[in-house]
Amino acid sequence: MGEGGVLVEWDWWTVDFGDAHAGAVGVLVGGGEPGPVYFDVGSGSYVPSTRHWSAYDGRYRRPRAEALRAVCACGWRGAAEYPMDWATIGDRPLYEADVDLTGPLADWTAHLSVVREATVPLPEPLAVLLIEMAGRLNAAAEDAPLAALRAAGVLERIASRVGREAVGALCDDSPSAEAVATGLGTTYSKALVTTSALLAFGFAGADCARKRVVSPAARTLRAAGDTVSMSCTDFAGPDHEQGGAFDHDWC
């Protein structure tokens, strides 16, 4: 969902980076990006709108795209612009026209390569295992959907616990939001939520008692509905119990 509730339909998405680097075809009109296209659905307070490139076809007083380029959810914009051939398109809606999108797709793919190059590399055995697991889950979703759903739940719980353990291992480094964002290939804002919760109280080190405490900052983020996987901190003794609320089910 984009600004002001405007629906943004992303054209490309990867498991590697998810929504943080979803890609789309961007529209240029008069050298800049136009506002959203609104659809007249009659009376009522809700007016649907979109920024999908195919809506900018000049019909019904909509803006008409002059050129296309690649855009990414992270804010990146492709430098190359691809002019629209309206002489060939004619009066057809863009969703019916055979518009060549290979240029924007290639530019977005190149952008992802730069992002991927800066991320922390996965050990080769782990990368292979993840690919194999994804293939097996996809096959199970077709052949045994209930079993696939159960397996997905197991993996989700494993990932949640492993994520918390990984945070604990990183605590001594006190990584910045920028470092986390680069290493994970995510956006600064998402990394900021993560590291704010992680660094809210600090960690007690390797000798700390294995007690999980949720910081006030983490509770605030949780109450706001944010998903915080780096919110539980380890403290060294009962003197710290007043610093946060115990939440054994979550932590």
Side-chain angles (χ1 to χ4, degrees), residues 6 11 42 86 97 103 105 157 177 181 188 195 204 207 214 216 223 238:
V6 178
D11 297 300
W86 285 106
L105 174 58
R157 291 186 288 275
Y188 173 83
T195 53
D207 295 330
V214 183

Side-chain angles (χ1 to χ4, degrees), residues 160 164 192-194 196-198 200 212-233 244-251:
S160 178
R164 292 195 295 268
L192 189 61
V193 170
T194 298
S196 294
L198 166 61
R212 298 291 190 179
V213 179
V214 183
S215 71
R219 290 201 302 274
T220 301
L221 291 169
R222 183 184 179 190
D226 290 318
T227 300
V228 182
S229 61
M230 298 185 176
S231 58
C232 299
T233 52
F246 285 103
D247 191 341
H248 298 292
D249 292 337
W250 185 41
C251 298

Side-chain angles (χ1 to χ4, degrees), residues 58-78:
R59 301 186 305 153
Y60 311 114
R61 294 184 295 180
R62 300 172 188 165
R64 191 167 84 159
E66 297 173 0
L68 304 177
R69 67 176 175 183
V71 302
C72 183
C74 70
W76 171 88
R77 297 293 187 267

